Amino acid sequence: MNAHELNKTIVQLIGKLIDKPLSSGEIEYAPEMYRFVIDELRKNFLQIDNKTLESMLRANAKMLMVICYEIIQTTALEKKVNDIINNHTIEKQEVIPVLQADKAYEIKAFELAKMMVNTINKLLGLPVSGRLEDLYTPEIHEPKIEELKKNLEHMKEKERNWIANSAFMLLLICDVILNTLRDEHPNLVDVLESRFH
């Protein structure tokens, strides 16, 4: 997967997550964009009364967070990454409004989980198939993530930078998903440190 295809895959998933078409291949992170993303997620997706779907979304969100963090670390200065995470941890402290659950949310949640699985597999060069319930295992995904990082290192700096911006937005979206689903370990740093376990 070349730089353009990689970024397009990430951008398309972000568009699906916030239920809006995104035509641009380049996403520049900005606080106003992030606030909009949070509001859209809460309105459209994340009040789910189905434990199986919640589990799928949690697993997918954690896996995507790990992948996106690895992408960002490969493409950006470490200090910038740490500053981003610290600022996000401070910024996200707010009350989540209570929404009414109905079947429309369940349908969207299932479609969302499927899209996330497919995107993870595309990013890691795995077959786009399989059951949504399958858990991720280090022995399968660790080598693929290392391969992805090596491919990123050979790209031009400009290409790596706009991939990093898109990956960062997706990482924050996944963090919002985990917090909205009230995951027992929703902290961004905790998920990244725990990797796949």
Side-chain angles (χ1 to χ4, degrees), residues 94-117:
E94 54 185 274
V95 178
I96 297 171
V98 177
L99 302 175
Q100 294 296 316
D102 60 33
K103 293 204 171 186
Y105 289 112
E106 290 197 13
I107 294 167
K108 284 192 174 184
F110 183 80
E111 292 171 355
L112 171 58
K114 186 175 180 181
M115 175 63 65
M116 291 166 84
V117 169

Side-chain angles (χ1 to χ4, degrees), residues 94-166:
E94 54 185 274
V95 178
I96 297 171
V98 177
L99 302 175
Q100 294 296 316
D102 60 33
K103 293 204 171 186
Y105 289 112
E106 290 197 13
I107 294 167
K108 284 192 174 184
F110 183 80
E111 292 171 355
L112 171 58
K114 186 175 180 181
M115 175 63 65
M116 291 166 84
V117 169
N118 288 343
T119 301
I120 289 167
N121 289 338
K122 282 183 183 178
L123 289 171
L124 299 183
L126 296 166
V128 182
S129 60
R131 299 185 311 160
L132 297 181
E133 298 86 351
D134 290 345
L135 296 176
Y136 303 104
T137 55
E139 54 270 20
I140 294 173
H141 292 87
E142 287 278 10
K144 288 293 181 180
I145 288 178
E146 290 303 315
E147 185 180 330
L148 175 62
K149 288 162 66 177
K150 285 178 183 175
N151 291 337
L152 286 164
E153 288 169 1
H154 296 297
M155 292 177 183
K156 295 177 182 176
E157 185 177 0
K158 182 182 178 182
E159 292 177 330
R160 290 192 297 158
N161 285 340
W162 47 261
I163 289 171
N165 283 329
S166 301

Side-chain angles (χ1 to χ4, degrees), residues 52-93:
T52 302
L53 284 174
E54 283 188 21
S55 297
M56 285 190 240
L57 287 173
R58 283 196 187 99
N60 294 332
K62 287 180 179 179
M63 186 68 194
L64 280 168
M65 285 178 79
V66 171
I67 294 171
C68 288
Y69 186 70
E70 296 290 1
I71 289 173
I72 294 164
Q73 277 202 311
T74 305
T75 54
L77 294 173
E78 187 175 352
K79 184 179 184 304
K80 180 183 176 184
V81 175
N82 292 334
D83 287 346
I84 284 168
I85 290 175
N86 290 335
N87 291 336
H88 169 64
T89 303
I90 295 167
E91 183 182 19
K92 74 184 180 190
Q93 302 299 327

